[in-house]
Amino acid sequence: MLKNDLYLRAHRGESIPRYPVWLMRQAGRILPEYRILRSKLSGFKELVETPGLAAEVTLQPVDRLDVDAAILFSDILVVPDAMGLTYDMVEHRGPYFSETIRSEADLFKLDGEVDVKERLSYVFEAIKLTKEGLNNRIPLIGFAGAPWTIFCYMVEGKGSKTFSEAKKLLYTNPVLAHELLGRITDVTIEYMREQVNSGVDALQLFDSWAGILGREQYAVFGLGYIAKIVKAFEGFPFTVFSKGALGSLIDMANLPCTALGLDWNMEVELARSLVKETKTLQGNLDPCLLYANKKTIEGETKKLLNSFKSPRHIVNLGHGVYPDVDFEHAKVFINTVKNYETKYA
Ligand code: CP3
């Protein structure tokens, strides 16, 4: 039994004395102890692939920020890596794949059969160690990238403002696009299933590049695959965070997941009117708010909390916390939520 299960109760729509709060990308760069550990290592991948270290970094924000959920320290790019397309995390630049998938012939760069249990054993080991370290204090969230976002990196090979190579493929070779998206989906389902078997209490899909597709394309190349994944976990606490996909929210109301993540462009009341009471909403303050002074952070956080009209909310930022944010400011945000009693106890 978890000592603090507010996050899970919010997923289920149960009564709660206060709203749960955590930060996307909380495990990492905003904490000085993370930066110290990181500076001693060869790189990001060493941290991700060493279970003891990944578990340690997962627990750092739990101790320091006192959040209501932990998120496993890892990266969405371990999935293409396991499929045979390895990445490097280049300092100050981001991910880089030396090989990309842009034609049928490129599919041969991928492994035909992916032994997920074996290839990603370091993740499952990190989950087990993290669960031991958490000692039932709060739930642990496992995660993966949504197929569309993983596809973007596998086609483009690196970050991009437009991901126009990835989008180009949707117009020039939709058959290949569907083949690749299907393969990513199958590996992701197995990956998330093994995360659950290893002990995670909830799951989240990050679709960071959802917003670059129009509603119709997102339905076909994004949500169709997300629906397949979510269906495999029906009844399990599951958040779908499709950043920038305000125009698709009405379609997402039909996904069999328990929660939807909102970015700061999605007005909470409008989102609620579109998805009704069938889902918990997570979010959605502007990550840049944490650059403001403490009084402003507190005021804006209370404004968000006052706008909630049901217990089905998990408080978070509308995207990952930025690395140069002062963690004391993050703490003001978290404490404001923790001191706010709901009407739904
Ligand atoms: O939320 C957490 O704290 C758990 C850990 C986590 C990381 N990446 C660690 C990380 C999670 C959930 C992610 C998800 C992720 N990774 C996404 C989806 C969420 C989002 O932000 O949109 C994406 C698109 C990636 C891919 C990725 N990883 C990029 C583009 C980069 C480089 C840019 C950046 O954000 O730093 C990374 C690197 C990365 N992943 C770091 C961390 C802590 C920084 C690496 C470092 O320590 O140098």
Side-chain angles (χ1 to χ4, degrees), residues 55-86:
E56 184 182 334
V57 172
T58 303
L59 294 169
Q60 284 172 352
V62 176
D63 299 328
R64 174 79 84 135
L65 298 172
D66 204 15
V67 279
D68 295 309
I71 181 157
L72 181 71
F73 184 84
S74 187
D75 201 86
I76 62 169
L77 301 176
V78 302
V79 165
D81 205 82
M83 292 171 76
L85 214 62
T86 55

Side-chain angles (χ1 to χ4, degrees), residues 22-29 34 38 44 47-48 71-77 89 91-95 143 145 149 153 159 206-209 241 243 319-320 323:
W22 68 284
L23 301 174
M24 288 188 279
R25 308 293 291 267
Q26 69 191 12
R29 302 160 297 172
Y34 170 83
R38 177 77 170 71
F44 176 73
L47 194 47
V48 167
I71 181 157
L72 181 71
F73 184 84
S74 187
D75 201 86
I76 62 169
L77 301 176
M89 198 58 82
E91 288 304 319
H92 310 297
R93 300 199 69 161
F143 71 91
T149 287
Y153 286 103
F206 287 87
D207 212 353
S208 306
W209 301 109
F241 174 51
K243 187 173 176 294
H319 199 195

Side-chain angles (χ1 to χ4, degrees), residues 31-269:
L31 296 182
E33 52 269 43
Y34 170 83
R35 294 201 204 107
I36 292 167
L37 177 64
R38 177 77 170 71
S39 68
K40 292 184 197 147
L41 304 174
S42 62
F44 176 73
K45 274 187 124 173
E46 185 183 350
L47 194 47
V48 167
E49 293 171 7
T50 311
L53 296 178
E56 184 182 334
V57 172
T58 303
L59 294 169
Q60 284 172 352
V62 176
D63 299 328
R64 174 79 84 135
L65 298 172
D66 204 15
V67 279
D68 295 309
I71 181 157
L72 181 71
F73 184 84
S74 187
D75 201 86
I76 62 169
L77 301 176
V78 302
V79 165
D81 205 82
M83 292 171 76
L85 214 62
T86 55
Y87 73 96
D88 277 318
M89 198 58 82
V90 185
E91 288 304 319
H92 310 297
R93 300 199 69 161
Y96 179 77
F97 291 84
S98 53
E99 302 282 355
T100 54
I101 309 291
R102 295 184 184 180
S103 70
E104 266 85 7
D106 289 337
L107 287 175
F108 291 102
K109 295 172 183 170
L110 301 177
D111 297 342
E113 286 281 314
V114 183
D115 186 343
V116 172
K117 254 185 157 164
E118 197 267 321
R119 289 298 301 268
L120 294 169
S121 58
Y122 58 87
V123 178
F124 311 129
E125 192 52 38
I127 291 171
K128 288 174 197 151
L129 293 175
T130 305
K131 283 295 286 181
E132 276 174 37
L134 281 172
N135 195 21
N136 287 327
R137 279 178 285 170
I138 49 172
L140 176 63
I141 307 168
F143 71 91
W148 163 246
T149 287
I150 298 301
F151 174 94
C152 281
Y153 286 103
M154 290 175 85
V155 175
E156 204 86 23
K158 54 186 186 313
S160 158
K161 283 205 175 79
T162 56
F163 281 98
S164 48
E165 282 298 332
K167 282 185 79 173
K168 190 202 284 182
L169 211 57
L170 307 186
Y171 291 102
T172 57
N173 196 345
V175 174
L176 173 63
H178 280 299
E179 170 67 27
L180 183 54
L181 286 162
R183 288 202 201 185
I184 297 166
T185 301
D186 292 343
V187 174
T188 302
I189 291 172
E190 255 193 89
Y191 175 48
M192 292 187 117
R193 187 167 289 135
E194 206 45 43
Q195 291 189 34
V196 174
N197 291 341
S198 304
V200 301
D201 301 286
L203 291 167
Q204 176 162 327
L205 272 179
F206 287 87
D207 212 353
S208 306
W209 301 109
I212 64 173
L213 297 182
R215 180 178 172 190
E216 210 178 300
Q217 268 192 332
Y218 191 55
V220 175
F221 296 102
L223 290 179
Y225 295 97
I226 287 179
K228 193 173 171 198
I229 296 171
V230 170
K231 268 198 200 101
F233 297 93
E234 219 166 328
F236 194 75
F238 200 122
T239 305
V240 176
F241 174 51
S242 297
K243 187 173 176 294
L246 181 55
S248 297
L249 213 51
I250 191 149
D251 304 322
M252 297 176 69
N254 299 321
L255 289 172
C257 57
T258 50
L260 294 176
L262 305 178
D263 68 50
W264 64 95
N265 283 316
M266 302 179 185
E267 219 186 323
V268 172
E269 280 172 53

